[in-house]
């Protein structure tokens, strides 16, 4: 409950006095003649320093809290600040309502959606964004508004707010074809559908896709229809595909949620193997993270402290874990 801030090892840079004197001869001055002005220290937001601090993966993750929700299973999560999370659950009545819980498991807020919710995320202004079949809506302080209208013939699936402030939305049509649109306000500014050779980026199928923008501008997508992570650069050129084979696990990768962190790592929830795959921004496998007491991980989000919140499809519990530390 009481967590220490990471220690930042900063290089000292004391002021220097430069005098006009001949090389090799000492200079003399009177201290009484020096006048200085003391100013209050500049207070920079601590979060502005974090992106420049290296974070190393822990050998063993630490479970900081377990949030027990009243739901049977988790579909999707979106952290709101440091100690709150919005939950999209799986079930009967849960499909039409989103709920916000604190880290102690107390319910703080809820919003009823007009139809089946396919994804949710938080924007930089603290608004909850969620996708319905034909619209992307915003919710804050009890008010719901339409954010983006989906093109005719397509349905909104996974959604995320990019670091640039734009919104990534995975779309699917009646033929189970998929593409990703990047929106600025209400206008589509980019479409990701085919690679540089005209080949489809995303395999057709009934399962929804989840998008994320990495720190280097790459657009990463979990394609549950091909059980892979498909990553393209901002221009749409294919960067890599990750299928989990490098992890050498007993079962094939079964991804249904993922997140990218401040170091550009891609962290994928693998429901089949009860673990998280961690790969770097070039698609290189780094390691698997096992979370004690968590099975069938689904739904994953990062809070403002860089802690992972991971849901379960088994019992609706959410584990809050620390998976990395600041380098010394």
């Amino acid at each position: 409950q009481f967590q220490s801030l990471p220690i930042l090892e900063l290089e000292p840079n004391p002021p220097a006095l430069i005098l006009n004197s001949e090389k090799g001869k000492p200079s003399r001055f009177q201290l009484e003649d020096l006048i200085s002005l003391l100013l209050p220290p500049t207070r920079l937001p601590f979060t502005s320093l974090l992106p420049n601090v290296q974070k190393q993966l822990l050998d063993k993750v630490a479970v900081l809290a377990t949030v027990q929700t009243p739901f049977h299973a988790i579909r999707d999560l979106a952290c709101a600040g440091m100690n709150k999370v919005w939950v999209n659950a799986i079930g009967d009545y849960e499909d039409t309502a989103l709920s916000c819980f604190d880290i102690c498991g107390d319910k703080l807020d809820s919003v009823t959606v007009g139809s089946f919710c396919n994804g949710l995320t938080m924007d930089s202004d603290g608004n909850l964004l969620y996708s319905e079949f034909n619209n992307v809506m915003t919710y804050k302080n009890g008010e719901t508004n339409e954010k983006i209208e989906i093109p005719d013939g397509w349905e909104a699936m996974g959604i995320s707010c990019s670091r640039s402030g734009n919104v990534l939305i995975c779309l699917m049509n009646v033929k189970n074809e998929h593409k990703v649109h990047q929106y600025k306000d209400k206008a589509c500014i980019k479409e990701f559908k085919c690679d540089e050779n005209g080949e489809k980026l995303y395999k057709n199928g009934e399962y929804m896709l989840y998008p994320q923008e990495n720190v280097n501008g790459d657009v990463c997508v979990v394609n549950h229809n091909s059980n892979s992570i498909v990553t393209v650069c901002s221009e749409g050129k294919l960067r890599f595909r990750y299928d989990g084979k490098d992890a050498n696990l007993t079962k094939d990768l079964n991804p249904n949620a993922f997140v990218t962190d401040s170091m550009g790592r891609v962290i994928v929830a693998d429901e089949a193997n009860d673990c998280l795959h961690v790969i770097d921004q070039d698609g290189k496998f780094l390691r698997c993270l096992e979370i004690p007491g968590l099975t069938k991980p689904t739904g994953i989000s990062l809070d403002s402290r860089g802690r992972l919140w991971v849901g379960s499809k088994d019992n609706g519990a959410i584990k809050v874990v620390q998976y990395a530390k600041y380098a010394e």
Side-chain angles (χ1 to χ4, degrees), residues 21-298:
S21 61
E22 295 182 19
K23 186 176 182 180
K25 294 184 179 180
S27 297
R28 304 182 66 179
F29 59 92
Q30 292 179 322
L31 290 177
E32 291 83 1
D33 295 335
L34 296 178
I35 300 176
S36 63
L37 179 64
L38 294 178
L39 296 175
T42 301
R43 298 186 180 275
L44 297 176
F46 185 74
T47 53
S48 67
L49 299 176
L50 293 182
N52 299 322
V53 180
Q54 296 293 317
K55 294 183 70 175
Q56 297 176 347
L57 294 173
L58 293 173
D59 294 331
K60 185 177 180 180
V61 301
V63 177
L64 306 177
T66 298
V67 181
Q68 187 61 57
T69 73
F71 306 126
H72 302 296
I74 303 297
R75 174 182 284 113
D76 204 1
L77 300 177
C79 288
M82 185 170 63
N83 288 320
K84 297 188 297 182
V85 64
W86 280 94
V87 178
N88 182 17
I90 302 174
D92 297 327
Y93 71 92
E94 293 99 331
D95 287 336
T96 57
L98 307 176
S99 301
C100 182
F101 297 90
D102 64 17
I103 199 169
C104 298
D106 295 326
K107 188 175 180 179
L108 306 177
D109 199 358
S110 66
V111 55
T112 300
V113 299
S115 61
F116 184 83
C117 178
N118 288 319
L120 71 165
T121 186
M122 300 295 298
D123 68 12
S124 56
D125 295 325
N127 298 301
L128 172 68
L129 271 64
Y130 60 93
S131 60
E132 297 179 336
F133 282 126
N134 300 314
N135 296 286
V136 172
M137 309 295 292
T138 64
Y139 173 81
K140 188 176 183 180
N141 298 329
E143 294 186 3
T144 302
N145 296 286
E146 181 181 299
K147 174 72 174 180
I148 298 170
E149 185 177 357
I150 303 305
D152 291 339
W154 295 86
E155 295 179 358
M157 306 301 282
I159 178 176
S160 72
C161 187
S162 66
R163 288 175 169 83
S164 59
N166 299 326
V167 179
L168 291 171
I169 306 175
C170 292
L171 303 174
M172 184 175 72
N173 62 16
V174 293
K175 297 180 181 180
N176 290 334
E177 296 174 326
H178 299 270
K179 62 181 179 178
V180 177
H181 277 188
Q182 185 180 57
Y183 286 85
K184 184 176 180 62
D185 296 325
K186 294 188 176 183
C188 177
I189 58 176
K190 288 182 182 179
E191 179 181 279
F192 303 94
K193 185 177 181 180
C194 298
D195 62 16
E196 64 274 20
N197 298 318
E199 299 293 331
K200 287 185 178 181
L201 287 167
Y202 315 113
K203 183 180 178 180
N204 293 0
E206 61 179 335
Y207 295 112
M208 60 187 295
L209 276 59
Y210 294 91
Q212 288 280 335
E213 180 183 307
N214 212 338
V215 292
N216 60 356
D218 286 351
V219 174
C220 308
V221 172
V222 161
N223 187 351
H224 195 38
N225 300 294
S226 61
N227 286 333
S228 65
I229 312 299
V230 182
T231 299
V232 299
C233 65
S234 58
E235 291 78 24
K237 184 178 180 179
L238 181 65
R239 290 260 284 118
F240 67 85
R241 297 179 188 270
Y242 175 78
D243 57 10
K245 289 184 172 56
D246 292 340
N248 294 320
L249 298 175
T250 57
K251 299 178 181 178
D252 292 338
L253 173 68
N254 184 14
N256 48 24
F258 80 120
V259 72
T260 60
D261 68 9
S262 61
M263 303 304 299
R265 292 180 289 239
V266 181
I267 306 170
V268 186
D270 183 356
E271 181 183 337
N273 294 284
D274 296 332
C275 68
L276 308 179
H277 296 237
V278 184
I279 60 178
D280 67 15
Q281 61 185 4
D282 297 315
K284 179 183 177 182
F285 172 75
L286 299 177
R287 69 176 61 177
C288 284
L289 304 177
E290 294 184 357
I291 301 176
L294 181 69
T295 55
K296 292 187 178 181
T298 175

